[in-house]
Amino acid sequence: VSLRSLRYYEEKGLLSPVRQENGYREYGEADIEKIGLIRLYFSLGLSVKEITDFFSCAFHDGTRLPCLPNAIEVGEKKLAGIRRQLDILRRAETQLEEYIARWRGQLEYAALEKENGGE
Amino acid sequence: VSLRSLRYYEEKGLLSPVRQENGYREYGEADIEKIGLIRLYFSLGLSVKEITDFFSCAFHDGTRLPCLPNAIEVGEKKLAGIRRQLDILRRAETQLEEYIARWRGQLEYAALEKENGGE
DNA sequence: GCGACTCTAACGCCGCGTCAATGTAA
DNA sequence: TTTACATTGACGCGGCGTTAGAGTCG
């Protein structure tokens, strides 16, 4: 986790580490844990706002049940987005494979042409 | 293709449509073709710079063969990147599926608790 | 007083979306 | 004149990388 990322999370209100007298940040265990969650959520494709929503959900006086339907909804939207992205990437993969194969073919053909032309 | 995109391509030197007397842009057939290529390359995950490289390759006095190895190299790197991204997304997909399933479970459990507690 | 660390503040990236202000065509 | 186009210019997004200038610790 880069320094800049931590700064960013804090700037966005996702994180609020305690400050020492000098102004230096002190990351407690809870912060570390939270950072892990943040990274996880980011890796799932969530945005800052969605993550803050999740957090405000999770830490609102223990009763996080009313948030569950919302979480499920957001999660499903994200899932749909991920699947769309997967589709796109898979298509790009096969396309690119074809292109590369074609280029290789052109290279070989050019090599042959050179050989025969050099005779 | 949005107007802004065309402006952007032009701004980046990917495109240079002829101007009419009034200053209006005129997109010829070659431009249209080029736009298609640009979109294709973008969809394959290439950056502006890589696309310009490809173009300077393709239009450098007909002999584009010396560019092929380069193109293949770039292509393979992109392919590797795409595959990494696919991996990440696939993981995110299953993770998210698990999370959602768990949330659903919690919801059901909560509903049952309420029923029983109400008795 | 030096080097290794920290801090804040700010700009840059990329592929555009989205205004605002102005000019031109029909 | 209105109205529907076109133009340039600028800011905004998101998740940071990176630099600059100043402070702080050992």
Side-chain angles (χ1 to χ4, degrees), chain B residues 3-4 7 19 23-25 27:
Chain B
L3 251 132
R4 184 62 178 94
R7 268 253 310 140
R19 297 305 187 103
Y24 284 25
R25 279 157 244 243
Y27 294 96

Side-chain angles (χ1 to χ4, degrees), chain A residues 23-86:
Chain A
Y24 284 27
R25 279 157 245 242
E26 185 156 9
Y27 295 95
E29 292 225 15
D31 294 315
I32 310 282
E33 224 177 307
K34 219 168 172 186
I35 292 168
L37 269 182
I38 294 172
R39 302 295 293 179
L40 173 65
Y41 290 152
F42 271 137
S43 80
L44 294 183
L46 299 191
S47 73
V48 170
K49 185 178 177 346
E50 289 160 340
I51 297 179
T52 50
D53 286 355
F54 268 40
F55 279 171
S56 68
C57 242
F59 294 125
H60 191 58
D61 68 322
T63 163
R64 62 200 221 77
L65 277 178
C67 302
L68 273 178
N70 182 23
I72 291 175
E73 195 182 344
V74 172
E76 294 208 316
K77 276 184 190 165
K78 279 302 151 185
L79 195 52
I82 287 177
R83 283 171 178 160
R84 272 198 302 274
Q85 196 58 27
L86 274 172

Side-chain angles (χ1 to χ4, degrees), chain A residues 3-4 7 19 22-25 27:
Chain A
L3 250 134
R4 183 65 177 92
R7 267 256 307 142
R19 297 306 188 102
N22 16 3
Y24 284 27
R25 279 157 245 242
Y27 295 95

